[in-house]
């Protein structure tokens, strides 16, 4: 995988710890998930699959993870919990607009649970262009290279930076600032716990009690942050 500081890097749901000048390294858990993925690829499969083997009647079908694009999707509980939080926030606005930055699992669940809500997916993987005007190509290395009509257009922004580096988080927060309406926006950040201090410094994010998980078990401790007090939802703010 190429270094994100030198060339475009895939922006998806996988969390890989990355040093500032070194290529990203997979944890032992991520390597195990990669081996499982390769084994699955040796058998015939469709482009869409259901997480955890649950039938598509009760499970949201997702584009198959592609390890070459560093993709690991949220598990069902995480996707539904965050989606329901977003829908709760939407009730505060007359015509809410939601931006999902590099979290396609959340976008898919939002459209399933709340099809009436306006959601924009910003994502590197062009397979998601199947969503038509809901899709915007996004490379976090160019955090503000986005259509001008998206600037300050969203009351709710959810972001999931692909790497646990200061450089990556700083660029993604620039994207969040580009997208969010000033002051009134509700922001959610899903990333590694090691980013807690940086997230607080950059955008005033607070750590929530809810612990997100992925369908493929990852070694890094993954957490959810918000810039607003969720009360008793999402496990509340941790003190």
């Amino acid at each position: 995988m190429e270094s994100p500081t030198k060339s475009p890097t895939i922006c998806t749901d996988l969390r890989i710890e990355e040093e500032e000048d070194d290529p990203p390294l997979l944890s032992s858990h991520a390597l195990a998930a990669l081996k499982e993925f390769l084994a699955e690829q040796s058998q015939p499969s469709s482009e869409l699959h259901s997480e955890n083997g649950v039938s598509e009647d009760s499970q949201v079908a997702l584009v198959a993870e592609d390890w070459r694009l560093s993709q690991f999707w949220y598990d069902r509980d995480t996707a539904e919990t965050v989606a329901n939080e977003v829908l709760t926030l939407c009730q505060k606005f007359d015509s809410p607009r939601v931006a999902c930055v590099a979290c396609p699992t959340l976008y898919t669940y939002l459209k399933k649970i709340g099809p009436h809500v306006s959601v924009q997916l910003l994502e590197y993987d062009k397979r998601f262009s199947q969503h038509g005007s809901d899709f915007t190509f996004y490379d976090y290395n160019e955090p503000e290279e986005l259509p001008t009509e998206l600037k300050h257009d969203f009351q709710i922004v959810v972001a999931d930076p692909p790497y646990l580096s200061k450089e990556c988080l700083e660029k993604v927060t620039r994207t969040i600032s580009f997208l969010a309406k000033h002051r009134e926006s509700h922001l959610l950040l899903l990333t590694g716990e090691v980013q807690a201090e940086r997230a607080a410094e950059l955008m005033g994010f607070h750590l929530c009690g809810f612990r997100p998980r992925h369908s493929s078990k990852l070694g890094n401790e993954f957490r959810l942050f918000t810039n607003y007090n969720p009360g008793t939802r999402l496990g509340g703010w941790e003190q």
Side-chain angles (χ1 to χ4, degrees):
M1 184 179 299
E2 296 175 332
S3 169
T5 60
K6 298 180 181 178
S7 59
T9 303
I10 307 309
C11 198
T12 52
D13 285 341
L14 172 65
R15 282 323 130 248
I16 300 176
E17 293 212 34
E18 177 191 42
E19 297 297 333
E20 296 300 322
D21 298 315
D22 296 329
L25 298 176
L26 290 171
S27 69
S28 60
H29 294 279
L31 284 172
L34 172 56
K35 291 179 181 179
E36 181 180 350
F37 170 82
L38 291 174
E40 291 174 352
Q41 294 303 297
S42 65
Q43 303 176 11
S45 61
S46 62
E47 181 66 7
L48 294 179
H49 75 101
S50 295
E51 292 179 345
N52 304 325
V54 181
S55 68
E56 292 187 9
D57 290 339
S58 59
Q59 186 74 26
V60 173
L62 300 168
V63 171
E65 294 172 343
D66 186 342
W67 69 269
R68 293 164 298 184
L69 302 185
S70 303
Q71 289 175 339
F72 287 83
W73 304 150
Y74 306 142
D75 70 6
R76 181 177 180 176
D77 178 67
T78 296
E80 289 183 343
T81 297
V82 180
N84 284 320
E85 173 66 13
V86 169
L87 294 175
T88 297
L89 296 174
C90 284
Q91 297 175 15
K92 299 182 177 183
F93 305 98
D94 293 332
S95 299
R97 290 267 288 153
V98 181
C100 292
V101 182
C103 41
T105 318
L106 176 61
Y107 169 85
T108 304
Y109 273 79
L110 277 171
K111 299 304 289 187
K112 178 71 173 182
I113 300 172
H116 59 287
V117 175
S118 176
V119 186
Q120 193 73 24
L121 173 63
L122 290 80
E123 170 61 44
Y124 188 94
D125 187 349
K126 292 184 178 180
R127 287 182 298 170
F128 291 100
S129 63
Q130 65 180 297
H131 297 304
S133 60
D134 282 358
F135 171 83
T136 297
F137 176 77
Y138 172 66
D139 180 353
Y140 85 85
N141 287 295
E142 299 176 333
E144 297 178 352
E145 290 298 314
L146 296 167
T148 55
E149 59 267 25
L150 300 184
K151 190 170 184 178
H152 305 320
D153 194 41
F154 300 90
Q155 295 93 338
I156 303 165
V157 181
V158 187
D160 192 341
Y163 296 108
L164 303 183
S165 70
K166 178 180 178 182
E167 176 260 351
C168 180
L169 184 60
E170 286 177 344
K171 288 184 176 179
V172 172
T173 53
R174 284 175 58 191
T175 300
I176 294 173
S177 296
F178 179 94
L179 298 169
K181 287 182 178 292
H182 296 299
R183 294 187 179 181
E184 63 182 284
S185 289
H186 291 66
L187 312 178
L188 296 89
L189 176 72
L190 294 101
T191 188
E193 187 171 20
V194 297
Q195 296 282 53
E197 186 175 341
R198 290 173 181 164
E201 292 175 351
L202 289 169
M203 299 200 75
F205 280 109
H206 294 263
L207 189 63
C208 293
F210 176 72
R211 293 176 180 265
R213 297 186 302 271
H214 296 79
S215 294
S216 301
K217 308 303 180 185
L218 302 181
N220 300 316
E221 189 69 25
F222 205 68
R223 300 302 298 268
L224 172 63
F225 305 80
T226 63
N227 76 327
Y228 64 92
N229 191 338
T232 59
R233 302 188 310 274
L234 302 177
W237 274 351
E238 288 193 355
Q239 299 301 318

